[in-house]
Amino acid sequence: MARLMLAVVKSLRGLSALVGVALVSACAGGASSEYGAGDDWAFPGGDVHDSHFSRLTDIKPGNVAKLGLAWSYDLGTNRVQEATPVVIDGVMYTSGNLGRVYALDAATGKPLWTFEPEVDMQVNRAACCDQANRGVAVSGGKVFVGSLDGKLYALDAKTGKTLWSVDTIVDHDRGYTITGAPDVAGDVVVIGNAGAEYDVRGYVTAYRVSDGKQVWRFFTVPRDPKSGPQENPELEDALKTWDPKSRWDIGGGGTVWDAINYDPQFDTVYIGVGNGGPYAISRRSPAGGTNLYLSSIVALDRKTGRVKWHYQETPGDSWDYTATQPMVLTDMEIDGKVRPVILHAPKNGYLFVLDRETGKPLRINALVRTNWAKGFDLKTGKPNLTPDESEYWKGPKIIFPASAGARNWYPPAYDPARKLYFAAVLDMGNLMFTVPPDKANDPRRPRALNVGTSLIFTPQLQDVLPTLPPPLRAQVEALPAWKWVKEKPFSSELRAIDPLTGKSRWAVQMEGWQDRSGVLSTASGLIFHGTIGGKLMVRDADSGKLLKEIQTGSSIMAAPMTYRVKGVQYVAVATGFGGGGWSYVPNYSAAYRNGNANRILVFRIDGGPVPQPEPLPPTEVASQPPAQAAGVTPAVLARGQGLFFENCAICHSNQLRANVPDLRRMQPGVHDAFQQIVREGLLLPNGMPRWDDILTAQDTAAIHAWLIAEQGKTRAAELKLKAAGKPLDAPSAAIMSSF
């Protein structure tokens, strides 16, 4: 799949030191002026630096064996959970899918209030990577959250009442969503959008904290010059890096779906910009170019939204190498000088150390195998591109790393005493090739996927290869990177990394390539992280040694956090599988075994056991499908299959125990209402959007015919398995997408 998915007022208060390194930071409303979080965890990243580091030491190696459950809270949902809670003055604020917000007593879990936005569920058409939401911002008695359909809400922190809301979407005829957390920067709150796989032009907007009035907006890619001058001079400069005949109608991508950081030291907002759309530069900008500001870190003036500096991590991005992965702000001694820096590991496989004041790269080190580029020239900051190995629009290529990213949204943690960056790292590639029509003027598909690229991840590539057409199979086996696939299809690890060298102090294997999670680091020398197998793991920060393992029975991807109330230190984490590739639920996950009920789990020393969800019942044989309608031919079935993969497969994996229905198992009533469901929105309140603007009745009938055929095949195969006494719960082998 493509994308296989806070703050108190930040005012400069003073200077503090930690282990001899001076660090400028901010404080307000419970946020400490020191590096790392204290009793309060006032931002999703813990502190103004987004370090995911805590100064608390009550939970330590000597007593962590006694860690147990203090309380839990059922969020009432069963989709993705990616947010890290905020705790201020004994109250926990956190978000759930779609933009729900929960306020809980942080010591007991008692609910204080909840907020559920009224979401236009048609927006699910444009949500490539589930109904994710990555957190709230808290400032001046307000809680800020974005909803999936693009609204930004300011809620009263005591009551949850809506104080103001604003529609952030510039064009509702395009595939915009919000999945990231807003960030408060002085007197403004800044939010971006998702949708680069669809038909959008990315931007971020700053709204006044007090009343929601728009202060400034920065578009991340130029608009069609035929529409008139660009919105600011920096976009005029960026326009020079695009083909004048670029696919302006599609939008260009560049969404800022995560990674917004305010730096009070320089009164600057840093944003990480997403991938291009369509993916291949041959379609997006046929004459080439670096295509600013795609896949870049851009420093914006807080007051005006004007560019201070930019650094493009993946020039001319064609591989979904977003720069929207979390940033850490810190100070480091480099070449004999202490410099304010950004630590950033985007999808492209490299760890960057950037000067926060100038944007100059100070260190760039590879974390995984890469063949889109052979390293970077540190003097120029530019990658040494390898077009023979990476230009898949000229023929299929195996690209490392995969579009799922060497790093992704899973928050890292940085311990300034140990000078270690703790993060989930995925060393994996994918086969990429364009799908017809491979030309610059293919029509835009409104509010639909416009990527124009297919990909198969390397863990499945060996299994899928025999099913590919012989000419394509021969091309794949002749590629230089095929050797990498055979040697090591993937490696998913939690690593302790030296940011200046990229080398790991230690690394531990995760349970599978889909098993990645956020990280918490503490001054007591502990590392907390989860697994999608359902375990909360506690490790020694210096060695990676496992000190405590708690089976929760629920998949964990979000980053844990810690806080203290009335002298007691707690550790909290949200549970729930989803995100990029969300409908492909691996059989080693707790979500596959037990379902995906979402919970907040909070732990303390001398806590109790975690209640385990009931296992899901055994899979039943697929029911008998209805007879095919008259006139269904092999050509109709082939057309239905193509339409399904083009429009439906990103959500409906047709895999057992996915978070959406397996359409090989439809019941008679669903078959009878298939046209009404797909084209008329019969199940829109449940999140199934209508498709009558793209799919005709004949299109829908062709898809239905193919699904009827698939259901028949599935039933026949499962009856044989049942007769032989074999289990039916074998998940789909391949993850392949045609965007």
Side-chain angles (χ1 to χ4, degrees):
M1 306 294 292
R3 321 235 353 218
L4 241 213
M5 11 158 40
L6 252 84
V8 210
V9 174
K10 302 178 179 179
S11 56
L12 185 61
R13 286 291 181 89
L15 193 65
S16 63
L18 183 60
V19 296
V21 179
L23 297 167
V24 177
S25 38
C27 68
S32 169
S33 62
E34 296 182 76
Y35 189 91
D39 284 2
D40 286 350
W41 187 275
F43 312 82
D47 59 4
V48 71
H49 310 283
D50 281 349
S51 67
H52 285 264
F53 174 77
S54 171
R55 303 189 315 276
L56 299 183
T57 58
D58 298 347
I59 300 175
K60 50 195 173 183
N63 64 9
V64 72
K66 298 180 181 179
L67 194 69
L69 187 72
W71 57 265
S72 66
Y73 180 77
D74 186 348
L75 296 175
T77 56
N78 61 355
R79 295 288 284 267
V80 58
Q81 293 297 327
E82 298 184 2
T84 302
V86 167
V87 171
I88 297 175
D89 294 335
V91 178
M92 176 183 288
Y93 305 96
T94 192
S95 66
N97 43 57
L98 295 176
R100 296 176 171 93
V101 181
Y102 308 83
L104 310 170
D105 184 301
T108 67
K110 177 184 176 181
L112 304 177
W113 55 260
T114 60
F115 167 76
E116 184 163 349
E118 294 183 8
V119 174
D120 176 4
M121 297 302 279
Q122 186 68 14
V123 74
N124 286 285
R125 272 268 296 272
C128 78
C129 304
D130 210 349
Q131 299 173 349
N133 190 285
R134 297 183 191 88
V136 299
V138 182
S139 176
K142 297 182 179 70
V143 179
F144 301 94
V145 69
S147 62
L148 188 67
D149 61 351
K151 293 184 179 65
L152 178 66
Y153 292 88
L155 311 175
D156 186 290
K158 292 183 178 180
T159 66
K161 179 183 177 181
T162 299
L163 300 175
W164 56 257
S165 66
V166 61
D167 186 350
T168 74
I169 304 303
V170 296
D171 185 348
H172 283 280
D173 290 331
R174 293 180 179 269
Y176 287 107
T177 57
I178 287 180
T179 58
D183 200 14
V184 171
D187 60 354
V188 298
V189 56
V190 185
I191 188 67
N193 304 92
E197 280 71 39
Y198 292 82
D199 57 347
V200 306
R201 179 189 180 207
Y203 59 90
V204 294
T205 313
Y207 298 95
R208 201 157 59 192
V209 165
S210 59
D211 58 11
K213 181 180 179 180
Q214 182 175 320
V215 178
W216 52 259
R217 173 169 285 151
F218 174 73
F219 284 93
T220 58
V221 300
R223 65 178 177 177
D224 188 343
K226 294 179 181 178
S227 300
Q230 302 297 322
E231 288 86 349
N232 60 56
E234 291 81 18
L235 283 175
E236 296 288 355
D237 292 338
L239 182 62
K240 300 172 185 176
T241 69
W242 290 72
D243 184 346
K245 298 181 180 179
S246 291
R247 291 304 306 272
W248 309 116
D249 61 320
I250 292 178
T255 50
V256 183
W257 51 265
D258 207 9
I260 302 174
N261 294 64
Y262 175 55
D263 184 346
Q265 180 176 357
F266 300 108
D267 203 17
T268 296
V269 176
Y270 307 113
I271 62 171
V273 184
N275 56 277
Y279 275 3
I281 199 169
S282 62
R283 288 190 172 184
R284 183 178 69 243
S285 178
T290 56
N291 289 190
L292 290 174
Y293 293 94
L294 297 179
S295 302
S296 300
I297 302 297
V298 183
L300 303 175
D301 181 89
R302 177 192 64 83
K303 295 178 182 178
T304 65
R306 294 288 299 277
V307 177
K308 290 186 172 183
W309 58 257
H310 74 274
Y311 176 71
Q312 192 170 38
E313 295 175 326
T314 310
D317 170 48
S318 291
W319 308 279
D320 189 18
Y321 288 162
T322 61
T324 50
Q325 287 58 53
M327 293 179 254
V328 175
L329 312 185
T330 188
D331 283 18
M332 299 188 74
E333 183 175 338
I334 301 175
D335 300 329
K337 296 181 179 180
V338 175
R339 293 299 303 161
V341 299
I342 296 172
L343 306 181
H344 191 236
K347 280 188 178 184
N348 73 9
Y350 290 86
L351 174 57
F352 296 82
V353 182
L354 304 179
D355 190 297
R356 295 205 320 259
E357 189 172 12
T358 66
K360 179 183 177 181
L362 304 175
R363 293 289 187 274
I364 307 173
N365 291 291
L367 297 179
V368 297
R369 295 170 289 178
T370 66
N371 68 345
W372 69 274
K374 300 294 186 184
F376 277 72
D377 182 331
L378 191 59
K379 291 182 179 180
T380 65
K382 295 180 180 180
N384 302 309
L385 297 173
T386 56
D388 289 345
E389 295 190 49
S390 60
E391 292 185 348
Y392 59 87
W393 51 94
K394 296 180 179 179
K397 305 290 184 185
I398 299 173
I399 313 295
F400 280 81
S403 65
R407 290 273 303 127
N408 211 305
W409 65 265
Y410 314 93
Y414 180 68
D415 183 328
R418 291 172 173 81
K419 299 179 181 179
L420 289 176
Y421 176 89
F422 302 95
V425 178
L426 177 62
D427 185 353
M428 182 178 81
N430 47 214
L431 174 68
M432 301 186 77
F433 51 95
T434 55
V435 294
D438 189 11
K439 56 185 179 181
N441 62 348
D442 54 295
R444 165 193 163 220
R445 305 178 68 241
R447 299 191 72 200
L449 293 166
N450 281 273
V451 175
T453 299
S454 289
L455 55 91
I456 306 172
F457 294 142
T458 51
Q460 284 79 35
L461 188 52
Q462 288 185 346
D463 293 333
V464 172
L465 194 65
T467 69
L468 299 179
L472 178 57
R473 185 164 66 242
Q475 284 180 286
V476 171
E477 292 178 327
L479 294 172
W482 178 243
K483 180 180 179 182
W484 283 0
V485 178
K486 292 191 295 182
E487 289 176 349
K488 185 173 69 174
F490 80 95
S491 173
S492 182
E493 296 178 327
L494 179 73
R495 299 184 188 176
I497 302 167
D498 180 343
L500 298 183
T501 66
K503 297 187 181 301
S504 297
R505 174 82 58 84
W506 53 261
V508 294
Q509 285 288 339
M510 301 295 281
E511 296 179 10
W513 73 265
Q514 288 176 269
D515 187 17
R516 292 190 278 177
S517 67
V519 186
L520 163 67
S521 172
T522 73
S524 61
L526 297 178
I527 297 298
F528 294 80
H529 71 98
T531 75
I532 63 170
K535 299 174 183 176
L536 178 67
M537 316 287 272
V538 189
R539 299 186 181 277
D540 183 277
D542 293 312
S543 66
K545 179 182 177 182
L546 183 63
L547 302 177
K548 177 70 174 180
E549 175 184 308
I550 299 175
Q551 177 55 258
T552 72
S554 300
S555 293
I556 300 172
M557 302 190 309
M561 51 80 74
T562 187
Y563 58 94
R564 185 162 51 195
V565 178
K566 296 181 180 179
V568 177
Q569 184 181 352
Y570 299 88
V571 173
V573 70
T575 72
F577 176 79
W582 58 280
S583 66
Y584 295 88
V585 184
N587 62 349
Y588 55 82
S589 70
Y592 189 87
R593 299 191 307 270
N594 304 329
N596 203 34
N598 301 151
R599 298 187 286 173
I600 300 292
L601 301 177
V602 180
F603 303 87
R604 58 169 292 176
I605 298 301
D606 294 325
V610 179
Q612 301 290 303
E614 289 293 325
L616 294 175
T619 301
E620 297 292 333
V621 172
S623 61
Q624 179 70 41
Q628 291 283 15
V632 171
T633 65
V636 170
L637 296 177
R639 183 162 176 268
Q641 181 182 28
L643 288 167
F644 178 87
F645 278 100
E646 184 177 356
N647 298 286
C648 315
I650 191 169
C651 296
H652 291 280
S653 63
N654 284 352
Q655 182 199 350
L656 295 179
R657 300 184 177 182
N659 290 332
V660 290
D662 179 349
L663 300 183
R664 304 168 304 170
R665 299 173 181 280
M666 289 186 283
Q667 297 300 311
V670 178
H671 282 289
D672 292 342
F674 194 83
Q675 286 278 351
Q676 289 81 5
I677 292 170
V678 174
R679 300 192 70 247
E680 299 176 19
L682 182 63
L683 299 182
L684 183 61
N686 297 340
M688 171 61 194
R690 62 188 299 161
W691 290 81
D692 54 330
D693 60 324
I694 287 182
L695 298 175
T696 66
Q698 286 183 325
D699 292 336
T700 307
I703 294 171
H704 190 201
W706 180 71
L707 290 170
I708 288 172
E710 288 297 298
Q711 184 164 340
K713 294 175 184 177
T714 300
R715 176 175 171 80
E718 290 179 344
L719 285 172
K720 289 182 179 180
L721 288 172
K722 185 176 182 179
K726 296 180 179 179
L728 309 182
D729 296 345
S732 302
I735 295 183
M736 178 178 177
S737 176
S738 294
F739 283 170

